[in-house]
Each structure stands twice: as C-alpha cells, then as structure tokens.
DNA sequence: CCAGAATGTGAGCTAGGACTCACGTTCGCA
DNA sequence: TGCGAACGTGAGTCCTAGCTCACATTCTGG
C-alpha cells in the first residue's frame, strides 16, 4: 500500500551520526528480511530492530521498496567487486583453472551469508519495475563477456552474449538453489566439480580447446564427496 | 494480511455450476497474476475478473495463498504431464536426440503462456511455507533420474542426484530468464542448440559416450540465428 | 553561547485488502 | 410443487502496515 510515488526528497546524511543511522537501518533491514521474509518485514519492525524510530527510517529511504532496493544495491555491489577482482586476477590464466577459481569465489561469497543471497535473489524480479534492467546484472554480463572475448577462438559458442546468458544464469541459480534446498552442496567439493564440468563442457567440449593446457579434467569424480571447499587451493 | 490460519472448511463443488465457478476463478486468478502481479492481485479483483462475487471465491478457496497454490498446482501438473509423456516416448532414444526433444518440449510448453510460467516460477519460493518441499519438483527430479539411471554407464557424472539437480535447475531457470529478459531466445533455434550443448557437454563431454551415435555435434553455430523453433523436427 | 541546521521521535492517520455472514437464488428430487 | 441442500451475493468488518508531521534533541560554526 504505497501512498504516493516515492518522491525521493529525502535527507542525505551529512553528519557521522546520520551515517551510522543509515547503516543501522540497512543492516537491520537485511537481518529482518532474512529472518522474516519480505512480507513480514514491516518498516516499523525494521526500525525497531535498528534501534531507530520509524520517522528516521523515512528520512533516508523513500519507501519500503526503496529501502530494500538500497539493501540489494549494497549487497550486489560488494559481491560484484569481489568477483571482478578475481576476474582481473585470472585474466591470463588458462580457462579451466580460471573457471574453477571463479566458481569457487562465487560459492565462498554465497557462503558468507547464504540466506541473504537467497532472499535478495528471489526478491529481485519483484523489484525491477516496468522493464527496468538491473544495472548490476548488465555490468556482470559485460565483465564476463570481456573475460571470454579474448579466448573466443578456443570456445565452442559462437554467440558470446548468449553464452554469457547461459553461463551466468545457470551458475547463479544453481548456487541459490543449493542454498535453499541443498546447503550441504555449498561446502561439498563435488558440487564445485560439477559446476566446473557444466561450464567447461559447455565452453570447450573436450576436443576443441587450444594451446593452453587442454588437460581433460583429471582426477575428478571419485571419492570427492567429503572434500570441503576452502578459501583457495 | 491473512486473518487466521486457513481452515480449509470449504465447499467442494458438486454441481456443474459450481465446477464452472471454480474454473472461472482459477483462470481469472492466472490472468490477473500475469497482468498485475501477486501484490496487486487482490482477491476482490480476481473475483470481479471472474464475474463472480467475492463470497463465492471464499467458498472454494481458503485464502488468497490457497488460491494461488491451486493455480500453481494445476499449471505444474499439466506441464509435468506433457514432459512425462515426452520422457516416456524417448525412453529408448539415444541421449543426444532425447535431450534435444526434451528441451524443445520445455521451450514449446513455456511458449504457450510464457508470463504465467514466469510469474508462478518467481512465486514458488514464497509459497512453500516452513520447509515444505514442492511435490511436483520432487516428482520431476525422480522422473529425470529414472530417465538417466539406465544410461548411467555412458554418463560422466557419478552422483546422479546431483546431476539431476544441476540439469533441471539450470535448464528451467534459463527458460524462465529467457521469458523475462530475452523473449526472442524462446523462438530462436540457436538458443535451443545452446541448451542442448550445455546438457550434452555436462553429461557426456565428447569422448566418453557410447555405442549410440556418438556424433560430435556437427553443423551447429553458423547462420542459425534465424531458424525458428517449431513443434517437432 | 546561541542561532539555525541537521537529526531524531513516535503517536496517529489512512488506504486498502483479506475475509465473513446473513441473506437471496437455483437445483435436485420426491 | 415444494422442500432442503447446494450455490451465489456483496456490503461491511477488522486489521495491518506504509507513511506523515509537529515537535524534541543534538550538532556546528561564528
């Protein structure tokens, strides 16, 4: 029941105190979203949880939706930063190793606060109003595309945009579904193996490949059930 | 704002008239959900759209959530039936052809009412209360597992359950995301090629395979952008 | 130290939506 | 033809949650 179009004539925090209030509201919002879900996450409850009055909340956020958007914004920006750093670091690595490192990065990121990732992911479709395209998603797509473009020769897919679409959405969703239905997968090295196999098999169906270590996935598939995913190999 | 736990002491339709009312409500609900989304789909609006009083709606459905669940139930049952029929039909086909037919089946099903598929898919996480597992998803998993099990020897993945998890979720999501962001993909044969490549590359990374036509995906990748997906090859 | 800006407060307004109930209407059947 | 059961109706109840506003408190610069 939004009363009017979000007028966004909200204060910008200038003093440290205000900054802290904003921070408290955002983290409380994330916490309540995780604990109670979107419906039950009333603005009053979030304010209370933040130790702040409801009035303060509406000084810095134009509406409940605006607040949730801000939470998503912050969260996705951070996640993307981590992913981009890894992408840069792996720019010149051979593809199989790069893929593995990237997937591992995704999984460990999700592992920090799985539920928040899940909730925000499931909330995303409801937030983009009227055909708004998610700028973070666009950015993610461009990053992955830029990563793949130099290796286009070694790759099976001809349509790079379509390949990025396929890769990003499938891996992202598999991580989220794992959070929701199979949390054990998140720390199961065999699952990481499968995600890598999915991407690898899609991009380079063993045979094409290149000058760069075309090793055909050795030592995978047996007795990997108990290995655990850790920070870096 | 549900007022009390859904008491489900609702009438069961006995006469044809009542059956028709139920039907009208269900289809109206689907229509309104597609047109306005879950939030804006008030029960009053759905009743009006169905040409039925709000009282009638609550005679057959215990709550708004119950109604939406019923819509999902019907929709998923139908989709699953189509998929299962195709699965049975393809039981003895070589894997690559079977995969292609199945993916085609999924895409054409989605094509019948793309938005409804999308909306219900995005709504699903909100509906399962308190760790309820979706019986349709479970059934789908079992079906695919039963389809793959006899060919386990030819397949790369050792953990069949995990493989089903990966396959089902990735393909399902890619179809839904295509509906939402790239509707052109749904009728683009190149997209179907990519979905098949994804699954094929995952299950049989060219080299393993079998006695059954191990052809290595010929004639794919160029000038397929304008081919259109039709009923059957 | 004080003026004014920035910040914080929370009781209360209001819209709108889920759901009920007392009452009509139609149907099946003897 | 009449009676009970099934069915249909919609004005109205109740309640929640988003959001405002008039006022209190704290900070900053001169």
């Amino acid at each position: 029941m939004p009363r009017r179009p979000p007028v966004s004539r909200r204060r910008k925090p200038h003093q440290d105190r205000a900054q802290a209030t904003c921070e408290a509201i955002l983290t409380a919002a994330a916490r309540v979203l995780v604990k109670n879900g979107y419906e039950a996450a009333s603005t009053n409850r979030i304010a209370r949880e933040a130790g702040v009055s409801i009035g303060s909340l509406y000084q810095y956020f134009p509406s409940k939706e605006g607040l949730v958007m801000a939470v998503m914004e912050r969260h996705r920006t951070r996640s993307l930063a981590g992913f981009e750093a890894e992408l840069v670091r792996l720019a010149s690595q051979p593809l199989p190793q790069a893929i593995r490192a990237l997937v591992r990065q995704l999984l460990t990121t999700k592992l920090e606060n799985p539920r928040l990732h899940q909730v925000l992911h499931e909330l995303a479709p409801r937030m983009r109003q009227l055909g708004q395209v998610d700028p973070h998603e666009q950015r993610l797509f461009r990053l992955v595309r830029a990563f793949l473009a130099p290796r286009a020769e070694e790759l099976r897919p001809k349509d790079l945009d379509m390949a990025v679409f396929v890769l990003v959405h499938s891996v992202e969703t598999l991580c989220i579904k794992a959070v929701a239905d199979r949390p054990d997968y998140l720390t199961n090295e065999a699952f990481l193996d499968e995600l890598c196999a999915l991407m690898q098999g899609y991009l380079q169906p063993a045979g094409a490949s290149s000058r760069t270590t075309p090793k055909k996935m050795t030592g995978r598939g047996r007795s990997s059930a108990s290995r655990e995913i850790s920070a870096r190999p």
Side-chain angles (χ1 to χ4, degrees), chain A:
Chain A
M1 315 102 180
R3 292 245 242 128
R4 54 182 64 181
V7 201
S8 90
R9 184 85 56 71
R10 299 291 137 175
R11 277 184 207 156
K12 292 248 158 61
H14 291 110
Q15 304 174 9
D16 285 356
R17 187 168 46 131
Q19 193 60 47
T21 302
C22 273
E23 208 68 20
I25 294 170
L26 283 170
T27 61
R31 206 162 50 239
V32 174
L33 278 175
V34 166
K35 203 168 28 177
N36 307 90
Y38 184 82
E39 327 287 322
S42 74
T43 50
N44 283 283
R45 188 199 273 255
I46 291 173
R48 194 179 342 121
E49 186 92 3
V52 158
S53 85
I54 181 63
S56 291
L57 190 154
Y58 279 96
Q59 302 231 328
Y60 301 105
F61 303 96
S63 64
K64 179 179 176 178
E65 194 182 341
L67 170 57
V68 173
M69 294 271 273
V71 173
M72 292 185 59
E73 168 76 20
R74 232 167 65 128
H75 188 255
R76 302 214 63 187
T77 300
R78 289 179 183 177
S79 302
L80 239 183
F83 185 76
E84 182 172 7
E86 194 72 355
L87 256 190
V88 171
R89 200 178 69 84
L90 297 163
S92 56
Q93 289 277 312
L95 196 61
Q97 282 92 318
I99 286 178
R100 192 169 184 87
L102 286 169
V103 174
R104 186 186 298 275
Q105 205 277 338
L106 283 180
L107 283 172
T108 47
T109 301
K110 299 274 183 292
L111 221 41
E112 285 165 19
N113 194 342
R115 287 289 164 203
L116 184 57
H117 275 273
Q118 183 196 348
V119 168
L120 295 182
H121 184 89
E122 291 169 359
L123 229 43
R126 247 197 294 181
M127 289 295 134
R128 49 173 157 181
Q129 306 280 52
L130 284 157
Q132 291 260 55
V133 276
D134 178 359
H136 285 90
E137 184 176 294
Q138 268 189 303
R139 178 158 171 69
L140 175 60
F141 272 47
R142 272 201 293 271
L143 284 174
V144 175
R145 198 188 198 286
F147 175 78
L148 292 179
R151 322 179 192 234
E153 288 304 307
E154 330 164 20
L155 305 178
R156 181 201 53 77
K158 293 309 164 208
D159 185 336
L160 257 194
D161 287 321
M162 199 180 274
V164 172
F165 183 93
V166 167
L167 291 173
V168 170
H169 282 311
S170 53
V171 173
E172 184 74 21
T173 287
L174 285 169
C175 292
I176 295 295
K177 292 289 183 187
V179 169
D181 300 341
R182 297 298 304 253
D184 56 307
Y185 280 1
L186 287 179
T187 52
N188 185 337
E189 189 91 4
F191 186 60
L192 192 152
D193 289 338
E194 292 304 289
L195 293 185
C196 293
L198 185 71
M199 300 179 72
Q200 188 67 42
Y202 173 69
L203 289 173
Q204 300 178 331
S209 196
S210 56
R211 57 211 174 266
T212 54
T213 55
K215 59 171 68 170
K216 39 165 57 181
M217 300 188 222
T218 59
R220 194 232 63 271
R222 61 185 165 278
S223 75
S224 61
S226 58
R227 283 181 293 143
E228 290 239 333
I229 290 176
S230 53
R232 293 280 165 68

